[in-house]
Amino acid sequence: MKNTIDKFNRHIMPTYGRYDVVFEKGDHRTATDEKGKQYIDFGSGIGTNSLGFCNENWVTAVCKQVQTLQHTSNYYYTKVQSDFAEKLSSITGYSKMFFGNSGAEANECAIKLARKYSFDKYGKGRHNIITLTNSFHGRTLCTLSATGQDVFHNYFFPFVEGFINVTPNDIDDLKSKLDDTVCAVMFEYIQGEGGVIPLEQSFVDAIFTLCAEKDILTIADEVQTGVGRTGKFLAGDNYARKANITTLAKGIAGGLPMGVCLADEKCADVLSKGTHGSTFGGNPIICAGGSAVLEYISDPGNQSEVTAKGNYLREKLLSIPEIISVDGMGLMLGATLKTKTAAEVVQTALDNGLLLLTAKEKLRFLPPLTITYEEIDKGIEILKTVL
Ligand SMILES: *Cc1c(COP(=O)(O)O)cnc(C)c1O
């Protein structure tokens, strides 16, 4: 273990605060470190391992694709990409999509698309995009600029122009900033990195109504909330809303890198030949993994189980005296603690064999969608000891 960590620190840029654990393998909802110690997974690699570690159908699909055709570039067609796209389109109702490799890239695509939509129709000057205070949209220069948190706006000047922040749930603030320089409003239905904070229905309704009046596009960043995480395939379904553009990433390919930018009829054909691209985007192996994820989630039984298990986990959490309240939907939950800090709890939980996340001052729970009630119980027992 020491050897690996030393090597890491010698050669890998220190951009992350890492825990002193070296993982060796994973089996569904259990990870094993180099010493053979096991951990229950309540974090799923920040919501990416939606089917847990090494789900059988996912492994079979990915291995089969590795042995058949790993990459072609986007100069050619592959069946596996078209099958995946057709399936995602039928589940979400979006007519077209673009494939990249991460959440940030999916959002970059959405931003470019919105600006071009407006440019094509209205010409220059209508390029501003409203994003929300406390949002998180990624780590590239453009998505950092879109992110509504000052801590991210350091060092890398100059940032990309054209992002204006509105306070979440403040309809008057939104109204006052939706002028004729704005082409899109971009938001997370539930702010994830910002602390698992759902938007109010009335504010979401106001975004959609005001944007529709002014031909301003809505962009839902569902990189964290999408792909069944909140009990519906898209968190927007919980609000009975469908944005013009929705971005997906984290859980979409079960732990393989994929970002998707989905566009509805209004803007599906805006990004024309030569205006956007990605060498790896829609890579056959990733699409094969993604198809296995869609297969699982498109089963209505599995989808409703996410809601049931989320409610179960929420109740268990609320029964712990140290936990004051629990926010979120489905299996995306954030718990506010009475006296302890989330960071110290995550460290102690790790020592006791439970993988957890923080989101600002909250404990964050993003277990694999496949987690069982027994595993939730086991994790809760550890958490109770820790708290
Ligand atoms: C994680 C996240 C991103 C960034 O995704 P990357 O794959 O790290 O680029 C963007 N938006 C939201 C809401 C996220 O949770």
Side-chain angles (χ1 to χ4, degrees):
M1 184 179 106
K2 190 154 183 317
N3 190 22
T4 299
I5 292 175
D6 285 348
K7 226 188 280 181
F8 237 85
N9 292 339
R10 231 176 301 129
H11 299 295
I12 293 166
M13 293 185 195
T15 56
Y16 289 94
R18 292 177 205 267
Y19 299 100
D20 273 345
V21 180
V22 180
F23 283 117
E24 195 167 79
K25 58 187 179 185
D27 177 23
H28 297 90
R29 278 74 54 188
T30 305
T32 307
D33 72 15
E34 276 194 341
K35 295 174 185 157
K37 180 175 163 184
Q38 296 196 321
Y39 304 78
I40 304 249
D41 185 11
F42 272 14
S44 62
I46 321 185
T48 60
N49 297 334
S50 35
L51 306 185
F53 296 109
C54 308
N55 169 276
E56 289 79 5
N57 294 337
W58 178 87
V59 167
T60 304
V62 170
C63 288
K64 189 169 155 241
Q65 192 59 45
V66 171
Q67 291 167 336
T68 313
L69 182 74
Q70 87 274 31
H71 185 76
T72 60
S73 90
N74 282 308
Y75 288 124
Y76 311 102
Y77 296 92
T78 58
K79 181 174 187 304
V80 59
Q81 190 179 133
S82 66
D83 286 347
F84 176 73
E86 181 186 48
K87 180 129 204 181
L88 186 56
S89 173
S90 92
I91 292 173
T92 60
Y94 281 96
S95 37
K96 288 199 179 157
M97 64 197 71
F98 176 86
F99 294 121
N101 315 284
S102 67
E105 280 175 83
N107 288 338
E108 289 265 355
C109 179
I111 291 163
K112 284 177 72 175
L113 198 166
R115 285 189 170 174
K116 185 164 183 300
Y117 172 84
S118 194
F119 180 84
D120 289 349
K121 235 170 141 174
Y122 303 98
K124 279 189 177 162
R126 200 173 176 274
H127 56 257
N128 285 329
I129 295 179
I130 304 274
T131 61
L132 302 184
T133 308
N134 196 46
S135 56
F136 182 79
H137 297 299
R139 293 285 197 160
T140 61
L141 261 178
C142 180
T143 55
L144 273 183
S145 308
T147 292
Q149 301 187 50
D150 290 339
V151 291
F152 289 105
H153 301 155
N154 280 310
Y155 322 121
F156 313 115
F157 304 100
F159 285 89
V160 177
E161 283 175 41
F163 294 95
I164 298 167
N165 295 148
V166 158
T167 307
N169 302 321
D170 186 339
I171 296 174
D172 289 335
D173 192 25
L174 175 68
K175 272 187 185 153
S176 75
K177 288 169 181 165
L178 276 185
D179 58 23
D180 57 10
T181 68
V182 174
C183 65
V185 175
M186 182 169 174
F187 57 90
E188 300 154 88
Y189 286 104
I190 306 172
Q191 292 190 330
E193 301 307 307
V196 194
I197 308 170
L199 291 181
E200 288 167 13
Q201 179 77 48
S202 57
F203 184 71
V204 170
D205 291 344
I207 293 176
F208 279 82
T209 311
L210 294 167
C211 286
E213 279 169 15
K214 296 168 188 255
D215 194 20
I216 292 170
L217 297 181
T218 48
I219 304 174
D221 178 348
E222 293 230 30
V223 166
Q224 191 160 155
T225 55
V227 200
R229 177 54 58 187
T230 66
K232 303 271 194 208
F233 190 83
L234 296 177
D237 296 335
N238 291 313
Y239 288 86
R241 291 290 181 180
K242 183 179 169 211
N244 299 114
I245 302 171
T246 287
T247 57
L248 302 173
K250 291 191 166 79
I252 184 72
L256 293 173
M258 174 186 272
V260 190
C261 176
L262 299 155
D264 71 4
E265 307 72 37
K266 190 166 182 169
C267 55
D269 293 312
V270 168
L271 290 178
S272 48
K273 193 189 282 184
T275 58
H276 200 43
S278 165
T279 299
F280 282 120
N283 169 279
I285 296 167
I286 318 294
C287 285
S291 287
V293 170
L294 295 186
E295 195 72 36
Y296 178 87
I297 295 175
S298 56
D299 181 329
N302 290 335
Q303 190 63 88
S304 61
E305 271 291 283
V306 172
T307 306
K309 287 184 254 181
N311 290 339
Y312 183 78
L313 175 57
R314 181 192 293 263
E315 275 177 24
K316 290 272 162 178
L317 290 171
L318 283 170
S319 75
I320 302 174
E322 171 65 18
I323 292 175
I324 298 173
S325 59
V326 178
D327 299 301
M329 289 178 195
L331 285 171
M332 176 178 182
L333 298 174
T336 304
L337 300 168
K338 223 173 252 171
T339 57
K340 296 193 158 63
T341 68
E344 65 173 317
V345 172
V346 171
Q347 178 64 60
T348 322
L350 183 78
D351 298 340
N352 286 276
L354 175 66
L355 304 182
L356 281 176
L357 301 163
T358 61
K360 291 276 168 74
E361 72 291 349
K362 285 182 195 165
L363 275 186
R364 177 168 42 152
F365 302 82
L366 295 173
L369 305 180
T370 54
I371 197 163
T372 64
Y373 290 95
E374 295 72 39
E375 287 160 341
I376 293 176
D377 287 343
K378 258 169 121 177
I380 287 288
E381 280 316 307
I382 295 173
L383 185 59
K384 273 185 181 159
T385 318
V386 170
L387 290 178

